[in-house]
Amino acid sequence: MWGHRPTSVFIPLTPKNDITMKRFLPFALSASAVALALMSTSCGNTQKSPDKIVTYDGPTFFKPVMQDVVADTVFDFDGNKIETTRVSRYASVDDTNNFISLNIYASRTNDAINGALSKYIGEAVDAFSQIDDSVKEMPVDSALNIDAARMVNIADSTVTYFSSKVIPQAEADSVIAVNLAIELKPVWADDTYVTYMMSSQTYLGGAHGEDDIYLQSYDRKTGAPMGFYNLIPSDRQDAIRAQLLDIISRSQNMTVDQYLASVNQWIGNQGADNWTVKTFPIAHVALTGQGYVFYYPKYTIAPGSEGCPVYVVPIKK
């Protein structure tokens, strides 16, 4: 049914008590042109954080790009250069409420990273699969190697598919509007890793739109996506978990025990299913200059009214 988006869940190769939940979540269409400040407690929450809690100061939601661009672009993060090809595509049918916007920075040095970016695009388009079940040309396997030139073709085929299939069918069904905006962009790098912002906004004609944003780190040599168990040294993982729970709890003006009791009650966990410091879910974690940045989609650890929480665990040197 129009306006309903089935949850998309991506499970990495990690112990089963950790999760990586990649969802497309509620987002007001009228706010899509407004940058939402991501505080250490949640998206759009302006409550002051407790002392000594690091507030994340990285990327926020973006404005849809309304231009067509293919241009080599080099990012310089304190001397660590990331060579990309920027692929921006925008197409609107009838009016600005029916549109697709892509702003993709494809790697010019690592085709495996492009495979992961392509997978993200394919998953975003899958939100509209109720319109047309025909096979789409976007690969969905993040292990695929895709060069920057092919990423341009993927962007073009995505725009063609959306403009020729999704929007006309939505209009035929008298849907008020449909749109999709995606931005995949490097936001940090060192000599080992590059971290991308993965972000999308979708609207399928329902009461509200949906959004998705998180950071993803990749190995610059292999292009392998990095998660909790291969990004954080094994001898630091327990300590990082404890720091994360301490930061989350203090941001809620609670002790760790109080917070765990509260979140377990809200989730509906009982007995052996209760989350502890060691089993608290890890949604998305990436490396930036501030430290380890943990993203949680809406509804995964808090009510939707609290937004999409993001927390920074500084790296002790």
Side-chain angles (χ1 to χ4, degrees):
M1 179 179 297
W2 279 106
H4 174 71
R5 168 65 164 96
T7 301
S8 173
V9 182
F10 172 63
I11 306 296
L13 297 177
T14 58
K16 70 176 183 178
N17 62 0
D18 278 284
I19 57 175
T20 294
M21 290 172 284
K22 185 174 150 344
R23 300 184 180 183
F24 296 91
L25 304 165
F27 181 79
L29 178 63
S30 62
S32 65
V34 181
L36 303 179
L38 294 175
M39 305 303 289
S40 63
T41 53
S42 67
C43 295
N45 189 336
T46 57
Q47 181 179 359
K48 183 179 179 181
S49 300
D51 291 340
K52 298 183 180 180
I53 291 181
V54 175
T55 299
Y56 178 55
D57 63 5
T60 61
F61 287 106
F62 61 97
K63 294 181 180 179
V65 174
M66 298 186 181
Q67 58 181 330
D68 290 335
V69 174
V70 175
D72 290 343
T73 305
V74 177
F75 292 84
D76 191 333
F77 300 102
D78 295 327
N80 294 289
K81 294 184 178 181
I82 302 298
E83 299 180 6
T84 72
T85 295
R86 179 188 178 188
V87 186
S88 295
R89 291 289 186 259
Y90 181 86
S92 176
V93 178
D94 293 338
D95 56 54
T96 57
N97 289 326
N98 292 320
F99 70 85
I100 180 170
S101 169
L102 303 177
N103 195 36
I104 315 301
Y105 291 84
S107 174
R108 297 212 313 267
T109 59
N110 196 301
D111 294 351
I113 291 177
N114 293 335
L117 302 184
S118 177
K119 178 181 179 180
Y120 187 97
I121 297 170
E123 289 177 341
V125 173
D126 278 345
F128 303 88
S129 61
Q130 57 195 297
I131 300 303
D132 180 65
D133 293 329
S134 63
V135 177
K136 293 177 286 293
E137 295 182 7
M138 288 76 69
V140 295
D141 187 349
S142 62
L144 289 177
N145 293 329
I146 299 173
D147 62 24
R150 187 176 172 193
M151 286 296 291
V152 177
N153 294 334
I154 288 171
D156 289 340
S157 65
T158 301
V159 170
T160 298
Y161 171 80
F162 200 86
S163 300
S164 64
K165 298 285 188 180
V166 175
I167 293 178
Q169 186 61 54
E171 291 179 328
D173 291 342
S174 299
V175 177
I176 185 173
V178 288
N179 52 65
L180 170 64
I182 298 174
E183 183 168 57
L184 308 176
K185 179 179 181 179
V187 295
W188 178 86
D190 64 7
D191 57 357
T192 304
Y193 304 113
V194 56
T195 296
Y196 267 74
M197 177 184 72
M198 317 290 283
S199 183
S200 65
Q201 301 165 20
T202 63
Y203 183 67
L204 291 83
H208 46 64
E210 300 167 325
D211 62 65
D212 181 45
I213 184 170
Y214 62 93
L215 300 186
Q216 176 65 60
S217 294
Y218 297 97
D219 185 291
R220 290 184 62 176
K221 292 182 179 179
T222 67
M226 309 303 292
F228 184 85
Y229 291 97
N230 55 6
L231 185 63
I232 299 173
S234 58
D235 61 351
R236 290 285 298 148
Q237 290 170 6
D238 287 346
I240 293 297
R241 279 185 177 276
Q243 285 180 261
L244 173 63
L245 265 295
D246 176 67
I247 290 168
I248 296 175
S249 302
R250 287 194 292 122
S251 72
Q252 300 294 323
N253 295 317
M254 297 180 183
T255 66
V256 172
D257 288 343
Q258 288 172 335
Y259 172 73
L260 285 172
S262 174
V263 72
N264 278 315
Q265 181 179 23
W266 182 76
I267 290 294
N269 290 337
Q270 295 182 5
D273 293 330
N274 279 343
W275 292 339
T276 67
V277 172
K278 288 189 176 182
T279 63
F280 192 79
I282 304 299
H284 301 288
V285 58
L287 188 62
T288 75
Q290 288 187 279
Y292 299 114
V293 178
F294 293 81
Y295 267 92
Y296 287 90
K298 284 183 182 178
Y299 309 110
T300 55
I301 63 171
S305 60
E306 294 194 19
C308 44
V310 53
Y311 304 96
V312 178
V313 177
I315 297 176
K316 294 182 179 180
K317 298 181 179 180

Short mmCIF file of all heavy atoms in Angstrom, two decimals, residues 81-85 106-114 146-148 194 220-223:
data_model
loop_
_atom_site.label_atom_id
_atom_site.label_comp_id
_atom_site.label_asym_id
_atom_site.label_seq_id
_atom_site.Cartn_x
_atom_site.Cartn_y
_atom_site.Cartn_z
N LYS A 81 44.01 12.45 1.07
CA LYS A 81 43.19 12.82 -0.08
C LYS A 81 42.34 11.63 -0.56
O LYS A 81 42.85 10.51 -0.69
CB LYS A 81 44.08 13.32 -1.22
CG LYS A 81 44.77 14.64 -0.87
CD LYS A 81 45.57 15.17 -2.04
CE LYS A 81 46.22 16.51 -1.68
NZ LYS A 81 46.99 17.08 -2.80
N ILE A 82 41.08 11.91 -0.81
CA ILE A 82 40.14 10.92 -1.31
C ILE A 82 39.69 11.37 -2.69
O ILE A 82 39.04 12.41 -2.84
CB ILE A 82 38.93 10.77 -0.37
CG1 ILE A 82 39.39 10.38 1.04
CG2 ILE A 82 37.95 9.75 -0.93
CD1 ILE A 82 40.11 9.05 1.10
N GLU A 83 40.05 10.59 -3.71
CA GLU A 83 39.71 10.94 -5.09
C GLU A 83 38.36 10.33 -5.46
O GLU A 83 38.15 9.12 -5.34
CB GLU A 83 40.79 10.42 -6.03
CG GLU A 83 42.17 11.02 -5.76
CD GLU A 83 43.22 10.49 -6.71
OE1 GLU A 83 42.85 9.74 -7.64
OE2 GLU A 83 44.40 10.81 -6.52
N THR A 84 37.44 11.18 -5.89
CA THR A 84 36.10 10.73 -6.23
C THR A 84 35.63 11.30 -7.56
O THR A 84 36.22 12.25 -8.08
CB THR A 84 35.08 11.15 -5.15
OG1 THR A 84 34.85 12.57 -5.23
CG2 THR A 84 35.55 10.78 -3.76
N THR A 85 34.58 10.71 -8.07
CA THR A 85 33.83 11.29 -9.17
C THR A 85 32.45 11.63 -8.64
O THR A 85 31.71 10.74 -8.20
CB THR A 85 33.70 10.33 -10.36
OG1 THR A 85 35.00 10.10 -10.91
CG2 THR A 85 32.80 10.92 -11.43
N ALA A 106 31.49 8.77 -6.06
CA ALA A 106 32.05 7.45 -6.32
C ALA A 106 33.56 7.48 -6.16
O ALA A 106 34.23 8.44 -6.57
CB ALA A 106 31.68 6.99 -7.73
N SER A 107 34.11 6.43 -5.58
CA SER A 107 35.55 6.34 -5.41
C SER A 107 36.24 6.11 -6.74
O SER A 107 35.81 5.29 -7.55
CB SER A 107 35.89 5.21 -4.44
OG SER A 107 37.30 5.03 -4.37
N ARG A 108 37.34 6.82 -6.97
CA ARG A 108 38.13 6.60 -8.19
C ARG A 108 39.28 5.63 -7.93
O ARG A 108 40.02 5.29 -8.85
CB ARG A 108 38.70 7.93 -8.70
CG ARG A 108 37.65 8.92 -9.13
CD ARG A 108 38.11 9.82 -10.28
NE ARG A 108 39.42 10.40 -10.12
CZ ARG A 108 39.66 11.60 -9.58
NH1 ARG A 108 38.64 12.32 -9.12
NH2 ARG A 108 40.88 12.08 -9.50
N THR A 109 39.43 5.18 -6.69
CA THR A 109 40.56 4.33 -6.34
C THR A 109 40.14 2.98 -5.76
O THR A 109 40.98 2.09 -5.62
CB THR A 109 41.48 5.03 -5.32
OG1 THR A 109 40.72 5.33 -4.14
CG2 THR A 109 42.05 6.31 -5.90
N ASN A 110 38.85 2.82 -5.41
CA ASN A 110 38.43 1.56 -4.81
C ASN A 110 37.04 1.17 -5.32
O ASN A 110 36.03 1.74 -4.90
CB ASN A 110 38.43 1.67 -3.28
CG ASN A 110 38.37 0.31 -2.62
OD1 ASN A 110 37.43 -0.44 -2.84
ND2 ASN A 110 39.38 -0.01 -1.83
N ASP A 111 37.00 0.20 -6.21
CA ASP A 111 35.74 -0.22 -6.82
C ASP A 111 34.83 -0.95 -5.83
O ASP A 111 33.61 -0.97 -6.01
CB ASP A 111 36.01 -1.12 -8.02
CG ASP A 111 36.69 -0.39 -9.17
OD1 ASP A 111 36.80 0.86 -9.09
OD2 ASP A 111 37.14 -1.05 -10.12
N ALA A 112 35.42 -1.56 -4.80
CA ALA A 112 34.60 -2.27 -3.81
C ALA A 112 33.73 -1.30 -3.01
O ALA A 112 32.59 -1.61 -2.66
CB ALA A 112 35.49 -3.09 -2.87
N ILE A 113 34.26 -0.12 -2.72
CA ILE A 113 33.46 0.89 -2.03
C ILE A 113 32.27 1.28 -2.90
O ILE A 113 31.14 1.42 -2.41
CB ILE A 113 34.32 2.12 -1.68
CG1 ILE A 113 35.34 1.76 -0.60
CG2 ILE A 113 33.44 3.29 -1.22
CD1 ILE A 113 36.29 2.88 -0.24
N ASN A 114 32.51 1.42 -4.19
CA ASN A 114 31.41 1.76 -5.09
C ASN A 114 30.34 0.67 -5.10
O ASN A 114 29.15 0.96 -5.25
CB ASN A 114 31.94 1.98 -6.51
CG ASN A 114 32.82 3.21 -6.60
OD1 ASN A 114 32.70 4.13 -5.79
ND2 ASN A 114 33.71 3.22 -7.57
N ILE A 146 32.73 -2.05 -8.74
CA ILE A 146 32.12 -1.16 -9.72
C ILE A 146 33.00 0.07 -9.88
O ILE A 146 33.29 0.76 -8.89
CB ILE A 146 30.71 -0.74 -9.26
CG1 ILE A 146 29.81 -1.98 -9.11
CG2 ILE A 146 30.09 0.26 -10.22
CD1 ILE A 146 28.46 -1.69 -8.50
N ASP A 147 33.42 0.36 -11.09
CA ASP A 147 34.26 1.54 -11.27
C ASP A 147 33.41 2.80 -11.32
O ASP A 147 32.17 2.74 -11.40
CB ASP A 147 35.15 1.41 -12.50
CG ASP A 147 34.38 1.28 -13.80
OD1 ASP A 147 33.21 1.74 -13.86
OD2 ASP A 147 34.94 0.73 -14.76
N ALA A 148 34.07 3.94 -11.26
CA ALA A 148 33.36 5.22 -11.19
C ALA A 148 32.50 5.46 -12.43
O ALA A 148 31.40 6.01 -12.34
CB ALA A 148 34.35 6.36 -10.99
N VAL A 194 38.34 5.40 5.21
CA VAL A 194 37.55 6.53 4.73
C VAL A 194 36.13 6.31 5.24
O VAL A 194 35.61 5.20 5.19
CB VAL A 194 37.57 6.67 3.19
CG1 VAL A 194 37.10 5.40 2.51
CG2 VAL A 194 36.73 7.86 2.76
N ARG A 220 40.49 1.59 3.20
CA ARG A 220 40.85 2.28 1.97
C ARG A 220 41.54 1.36 0.97
O ARG A 220 41.48 1.62 -0.25
CB ARG A 220 41.76 3.48 2.27
CG ARG A 220 41.05 4.62 2.97
CD ARG A 220 41.95 5.83 3.16
NE ARG A 220 42.42 6.39 1.90
CZ ARG A 220 43.15 7.49 1.80
NH1 ARG A 220 43.50 8.14 2.91
NH2 ARG A 220 43.52 7.94 0.63
N LYS A 221 42.19 0.30 1.42
CA LYS A 221 42.87 -0.61 0.50
C LYS A 221 41.92 -1.65 -0.07
O LYS A 221 41.90 -1.88 -1.28
CB LYS A 221 44.04 -1.30 1.23
CG LYS A 221 45.18 -0.36 1.58
CD LYS A 221 46.32 -1.12 2.24
CE LYS A 221 47.48 -0.19 2.58
NZ LYS A 221 48.60 -0.92 3.25
N THR A 222 41.15 -2.29 0.79
CA THR A 222 40.31 -3.40 0.34
C THR A 222 38.88 -2.97 0.02
O THR A 222 38.16 -3.69 -0.68
CB THR A 222 40.25 -4.50 1.41
OG1 THR A 222 39.56 -4.00 2.58
CG2 THR A 222 41.66 -4.94 1.80
N GLY A 223 38.44 -1.85 0.57
CA GLY A 223 37.06 -1.42 0.42
C GLY A 223 36.10 -2.13 1.35
O GLY A 223 34.88 -1.93 1.27
#
